[in-house]
Amino acid sequence: MAAPSPVAVLTRCVRALGGDDRAGQHALTEAVAAAFDEPHHLVVEAPTGSGKSLAYLSAVVASDRVAVIATATLALQDQLWRKDMPLVHEHGGVPFDAAVLKGRSQYLCLARLHAAAGGEALFDERPGPEFAAQLTRLERYAAESETGDAAGLDSVPPSVWRAVSCGPQECPGAARCPDGDACFAERARLQADGARVLIVNHALYLAHLAAGGGVLPHHDVVIFDEGHAVVDVATRALGSEVTPGGLRQLAARVRVAGATGRGVDALFTDADRLEDCLGETDGRVDPTDGRIAEVLAGAAERVAALGSALRRDSTEPRVAQTARLVAARLEALRHLQAPAVGEVAWVEGAERPVLRLAPVDVGPRLAERLFAAQPCVVTSATLGPGARFEPLARRLGLDPDAAASAASGYAALRLGSPFDVRRQALLYVPRTLPDPRQPGWADAAAEELTALVAAAGGRALVLCTSRRSVERFAAALRERAAHPVLAQGDEVNAALLERFAAEETSCLVATRAFWQGVDVPGPACVLVVIDRLPFTRPDDPLEQARRDAVEATGGSAFADVDLPAAALTLAQGAGRLLRRASDRGVVAVLDPRLATAGYRRVLLDALPPMRRTVTREDAVAMLAAAGAAAGAGDGLESGVPVRG
């Protein structure tokens, strides 16, 4: 019997869910299948509710190719593995083997757990008094779990998990670990080797590329979901960083592993010198010149000598893990001592400074290591402006002007929203507010925000572009609003989000950590407020370098760097409003430039096709109707007239 077509697989899965056929979902499945068959790269914007996961999974399992699916977040990775993959496996009509693989630090390390259970930690990281209380629970989990995955445990403090997990820069491998035969991470890797569909995250896939391959098994095609994040993840993966705290941690671990003497003491001194050096600057630096170069050279020499003193063939966990960490730290120091052409170094963080090095443009490296190797699909709910998502495509290393069949070419597809966006959502820009760069904006924006929250009955997600705005607007709402106000920093992000979803009339004020990946459908969120247009800070070192590179080739820093990035971020923030077909509400942007600036068309074109207004009364009427619908437990059926 012939294998079912991709659309037939999709249809079976949708019917198993009790869903309806959607033209957009079918189009995406067919486009992914064509990208595999012809082959070519594909870039697809599929808004929330499009059913893109089932669409591309159907194309994958109907093909005879080995596929890797990479997500930006662990949450989506777990959703694909626990919800979507079982559905396709059971109802798709195609037998296939699948696996999920995460970074090593996401798995329980048996060597560290057994050392702790025996009364000694592998390293004196002092996980705190909660560790003893958690130890019995962790031992039970290790005995009962088939995966050792952190996702299988609830409410484990980060310090505790760090004490019983092992990062990729530390693990010596199964052959040199006494628990190697039972290692959860190694077991997951063996399962990945035999899978036809493998689910990973962006960080792991980009680590695979940075290492020149070998981290993941061979595969024929790759799909990047949440593809708007690939550039940022690639920038981190292809760069390096050194911190004073990292050097101190290394010195402590080397001492615990058995090395003593002046070398260890000298590395602690190097860490202090680096901290003093980094504290003298903030922004771009030249790591090959001046005092910073001197400090890096001394630290590299010390780390190399300490590494030589360790027995690299040791199977004693303490020594083997330390030797691996020494090698990784030395590689980062060497990279910073000799940056490649097109890389920029900078210092960030005042209290805990970090020296970072990254490529200004990851596109050429992705073109060579990723797109030249196999057909790739890049998809997300938001991919930014352009008929062919040109700004993002160029940053990825694709050529919008090339034919799809060319090595750097691609096909582009933009699906319409399955929601009735014009009926369900209203974009409100208070045109009479001062420019955010003017002194009077903050007070006027706080007054506008308070009025909108009152009209919405709480139920507001307030997205800010700075910590200062979070503090200012949270304080204003707590003083004037009659609704619970949650602010980023009050609790860990996951707990805040859970409370916001559970306490229907609450407000959540947060920074860019909440601009994407937040899914709060229904009456808990009928108002999304964005404080100002999310342009990157002018003094951001990496963005400065990107602007300089564009202008050096005759381009416009604002049009080619700042504006596309702001459009993509703005669309991600606005996308927090409509998560289900029954959702209704208002996106309010408290920045009049979205209604008046000459460049506003680029920003507006990247947003969902909401109705628009500059009049508060329209927004209040929409919020009142949304609130009434939320209270009645059904959808909003009436429209709201829009003026302006």
Side-chain angles (χ1 to χ4, degrees), residues 17 29 32 44 46 138 257 408 423 514 516 629 639:
L17 283 174
T29 300
V32 173
V44 184
L138 290 166
S408 60
R423 185 174 66 91
F514 288 78
Q516 55 183 308

Side-chain angles (χ1 to χ4, degrees), residues 557-618:
F558 181 74
D560 298 334
V561 178
D562 295 316
L563 195 55
L568 178 56
T569 304
L570 185 66
Q572 290 165 356
R576 299 314 97 205
L577 180 67
L578 299 183
R579 310 303 299 175
R580 301 291 185 272
S582 59
D583 289 350
R584 304 290 187 270
V586 172
V587 175
V589 181
L590 307 182
D591 189 332
R593 291 176 293 179
L594 188 58
T596 61
Y599 53 76
R600 67 186 183 279
R601 181 58 54 191
V602 174
L603 301 171
L604 292 170
D605 285 348
L607 294 174
M610 300 175 280
R611 288 170 297 131
R612 303 169 188 165
T613 186
V614 295
T615 305
R616 185 194 290 179
E617 287 76 10
D618 294 334

Side-chain angles (χ1 to χ4, degrees), residues 299-312:
E301 179 181 342
R302 221 89 58 203
V303 171
L306 290 171
S308 299
L310 293 172
R311 288 177 48 216
R312 295 181 178 274

Side-chain angles (χ1 to χ4, degrees), residues 109-371:
C109 174
L110 293 174
R112 290 196 169 193
L113 179 65
H114 292 158
E120 67 169 333
L122 287 183
F123 306 105
D124 58 346
E125 295 182 346
R126 296 181 178 86
E130 69 271 23
F131 184 68
Q134 294 276 353
L135 188 55
T136 301
R137 180 187 176 206
L138 290 166
E139 289 182 290
R140 186 184 308 117
Y141 182 65
E144 298 174 351
S145 175
E146 294 183 0
T147 65
D149 188 342
L153 284 166
D154 294 326
S155 306
V156 176
S159 61
V160 170
W161 186 256
R162 284 194 299 269
V164 294
S165 61
C166 177
Q169 294 182 338
E170 304 167 81
C171 180
R176 291 201 285 138
C177 177
D179 292 289
D181 290 341
C183 176
F184 289 119
E186 290 293 328
R187 187 184 304 171
R189 182 62 169 81
L190 288 174
Q191 291 173 341
D193 285 339
R196 193 161 72 77
V197 184
L198 177 62
I199 302 175
V200 303
N201 54 54
H202 290 184
L204 186 59
Y205 198 94
L206 270 298
H208 168 75
L209 291 185
V215 175
L216 301 178
H218 170 78
H219 49 280
D220 304 313
V221 295
V222 59
I223 296 174
F224 290 98
D225 204 339
E226 303 173 306
H228 61 273
V230 170
V231 171
D232 288 340
V233 178
T235 300
R236 291 192 295 271
L238 297 172
S240 295
E241 68 174 49
V242 173
T243 69
L247 293 181
R248 292 189 186 100
Q249 177 203 50
L250 182 62
R253 289 197 174 187
V254 168
R255 176 172 286 162
V256 171
T260 57
R262 295 181 179 178
V264 176
D265 294 336
L267 188 55
F268 277 111
T269 302
D270 289 331
D272 293 339
R273 293 179 65 206
L274 181 63
E275 189 165 58
D276 291 341
C277 189
L278 300 185
E280 295 172 355
T281 185
D282 181 24
R284 290 168 67 174
V285 296
D286 180 358
T288 67
D289 186 45
R291 187 179 173 214
I292 194 168
E294 176 188 337
V295 173
L296 290 175
E301 179 181 342
R302 221 89 58 203
V303 171
L306 290 171
S308 299
L310 293 172
R311 288 177 48 216
R312 295 181 178 274
D313 61 344
S314 174
T315 58
E316 202 278 313
R318 225 175 237 173
V319 177
Q321 290 188 18
T322 301
R324 282 275 297 170
L325 188 61
V326 165
R329 293 279 193 268
L330 182 58
E331 182 180 359
L333 287 164
R334 296 295 193 210
H335 190 185
L336 278 155
Q337 285 183 284
V341 175
E343 294 183 327
V344 61
W346 72 97
V347 178
E348 66 181 38
E351 295 183 5
R352 297 181 178 178
V354 181
L355 177 59
R356 299 191 189 279
L357 179 71
V360 174
D361 182 6
V362 297
R365 302 191 196 188
L366 292 180
E368 176 186 358
R369 303 183 190 187
L370 173 63
F371 296 114

Side-chain angles (χ1 to χ4, degrees), residues 12 51 97 157 261 316 424 461 467 517 531 612:
R12 292 176 179 181
D97 292 324
E316 202 278 313
Q424 292 176 239
L461 175 62
R467 292 289 306 184
D531 67 338
R612 303 169 188 165

